[in-house]
Amino acid sequence: MLNFTVGPVMSSEEILAIGAEQVPYFRTQEFSDIMLENEALMKEFVNAPESSRTVFITGSGTASMEAAVMNIFTPADKLLVIDGGSFGHRFTELCDIHHIPYTAIRPERGRTVTEEMLAPFAGQGYTGLLVNIHETSTGVLYDGRLLGDFCRKEGMLFLVDAISSFLADELDMLEIGADVIITGSQKVLACAPGISIIVMGPRAIARVEDNESKTMYLDLKSALKNGERGQTPFTPAVGILRQINARLRQIKHEGGAKAEIAKIKAQAEDFRSKIKGLPFEIVSESMSNALTPLHPTGASAHEIFLELKDHYGIWICPNGGDMKDTIFRVGHFGALTPADNDTLIAAFKDLQSKGKL
């Protein structure tokens, strides 16, 4: 199958080979060295502030979202949450579960957050802002500098879920003033799903250390302590962490974060240039390099997904809920090339010739 979803994505042969190896015992100095290198490279690629730390959670991105919310914030906080789609909405659900007061900002679907939308919340005692910086369900990429500037002025903690945006778009933790960056193994890192990653700046770490933890498995205080020696509190997904190490080293060898972002941007621009003339509308006003959200004007988005999967050996990314039949997404990261774009475009044109597009 040719995979244009946004996770899990196409992995390289090198990464697949690691996944086929026997999983080694991990309470060793050799594994600790891998983990310490993983932490250092993650901090380098997001330009994390001095004294930042990286924690690796065995769980999907939502596990790290929950770990960050429940360890950094308490019911004494008052948060702003950008709720612009199904993934941003997840932060509101987590705040509800952990009894953390919040106000949701709900931009229209496909629209970004503006300065005017933030203005009413200035000077109102908010202590943190949570955003899924690339709302993967609709494709919107929010303005991290705008949100970060607002947080600086208001003295708020700034938590960024960058699960699908990390290494696809510019993301400078110092520049935007982010206190937390979250990502996962199955996006640009193009490894197996099962590991999510939290990079925490000094203010977030201080919150974790000061707050009383009410969880065992997602206790970030314990994760930070064990991470000092390159270990995790419990048995991690060892094989995936080894894959992550290989990918991070590869990205470093090939020019680092900027080179990886440029590669994904070129893949996205190539695809977007090739869909001109096809019966699609791009539905986002502010797009990430990670994916292109498309509304087919003459067919069901879900039916197109099924046709490609069942008859062409191609996965695109469907949506659920009220977007099931109106929007599908085409991802641009993983082990993809412009030639793969050509294969997908040819399939679209074949569907069009059959009256199915």
Side-chain angles (χ1 to χ4, degrees):
M1 294 288 286
L2 187 56
N3 188 348
F4 287 92
T5 70
V6 287
V9 299
M10 301 280 285
S11 297
S12 68
E13 292 300 322
E14 177 189 7
I15 297 303
L16 292 173
I18 293 170
E21 294 175 1
Q22 288 286 354
V23 177
Y25 182 62
F26 65 101
R27 300 296 192 199
T28 63
Q29 187 58 51
E30 288 81 5
F31 185 71
S32 291
D33 290 343
I34 286 172
M35 291 297 289
L36 292 169
E37 184 175 37
N38 286 349
E39 175 173 23
L41 288 171
M42 282 298 306
K43 291 192 293 184
E44 177 184 337
F45 292 163
V46 297
N47 193 28
E50 195 124 355
S51 305
S52 294
R53 295 289 307 281
T54 306
V55 165
F56 298 84
I57 301 290
T58 295
S60 70
T62 303
S64 280
M65 291 169 71
E66 182 158 30
V69 168
M70 70 189 299
N71 283 270
I72 294 170
F73 301 108
T74 74
D77 281 292
K78 182 182 175 184
L79 306 181
L80 281 175
V81 180
I82 309 302
D83 180 2
S86 57
F87 294 99
H89 184 68
R90 200 162 295 178
F91 273 131
T92 70
E93 296 175 301
L94 289 168
C95 288
D96 286 335
I97 289 167
H98 296 289
H99 308 292
I100 301 169
Y102 69 91
T103 301
I105 298 176
R106 296 187 173 94
E108 291 181 28
R109 181 176 295 166
R111 303 294 181 184
T112 191
V113 174
T114 64
E115 192 171 355
E116 291 72 25
M117 294 172 68
L118 295 173
F121 304 103
Q124 300 299 309
Y126 288 93
T127 56
L129 187 149
L130 280 55
V131 64
N132 171 254
I133 200 75
H134 173 223
E135 178 47 68
T136 325
S137 64
T138 62
V140 175
L141 180 67
Y142 297 116
D143 187 339
R145 291 182 183 87
L146 173 71
L147 298 174
D149 286 347
F150 180 80
C151 289
R152 281 193 190 97
K153 291 172 186 173
E154 297 296 314
M156 299 162 64
L157 287 166
F158 185 22
L159 190 155
V160 178
D161 165 3
I163 290 172
S164 61
S165 184
F166 169 67
L167 292 180
D169 305 296
E170 294 289 341
L171 181 66
D172 189 310
M173 197 170 174
L174 264 176
E175 183 180 335
I176 68 173
D179 296 288
V180 179
I181 299 287
I182 299 171
T183 192
S185 56
Q186 79 277 24
K187 304 295 185 178
V188 171
L189 291 178
C191 300
I195 291 287
S196 51
I197 305 165
I198 310 172
V199 182
M200 288 178 280
R203 293 201 306 168
I205 293 169
R207 278 292 195 104
V208 169
E209 296 295 347
D210 289 344
N211 289 339
E212 179 186 355
S213 174
K214 295 184 178 180
T215 175
M216 176 181 285
Y217 192 74
L218 296 180
D219 181 359
L220 293 185
K221 198 178 290 150
S222 175
L224 287 167
K225 182 65 177 174
N226 280 271
E228 291 174 2
R229 60 191 178 94
Q231 289 288 333
T232 56
F234 310 104
T235 304
V238 175
I240 301 171
L241 288 163
R242 293 178 66 234
Q243 289 180 322
I244 288 172
N245 184 249
R247 267 294 283 152
L248 291 172
R249 289 168 64 93
Q250 178 190 46
I251 291 164
K252 174 76 171 177
H253 176 73
E254 293 177 355
K258 287 189 180 300
E260 186 69 17
I261 292 165
K263 180 174 75 174
I264 294 166
K265 181 179 181 181
Q267 179 74 7
E269 289 176 345
D270 178 77
F271 174 77
R272 290 165 190 168
S273 71
K274 289 172 178 174
I275 60 169
K276 292 176 181 176
L278 289 170
F280 299 136
E281 294 176 353
I282 292 177
V283 297
S284 172
E285 68 176 0
S286 173
M287 282 193 296
S288 164
N289 297 318
L291 66 86
T292 302
L294 294 171
H295 166 60
T297 56
S300 159
H302 193 70
E303 286 301 316
I304 293 170
F305 160 71
L306 292 175
E307 285 285 339
L308 290 173
K309 175 177 70 73
D310 295 338
H311 303 296
Y312 296 85
I314 298 172
W315 282 314
I316 55 172
C317 206
N319 257 315
D322 62 353
M323 291 186 283
K324 177 180 176 181
D325 289 313
T326 57
I327 300 172
F328 67 81
R329 296 149 305 150
V330 175
H332 307 303
F333 47 63
L336 291 170
T337 67
D340 296 321
N341 285 342
D342 292 337
T343 301
L344 178 56
I345 297 300
F348 283 145
K349 289 181 177 178
D350 192 50
L351 283 174
Q352 187 178 32
S353 72
K354 295 174 179 177
K356 295 182 177 182
L357 188 62

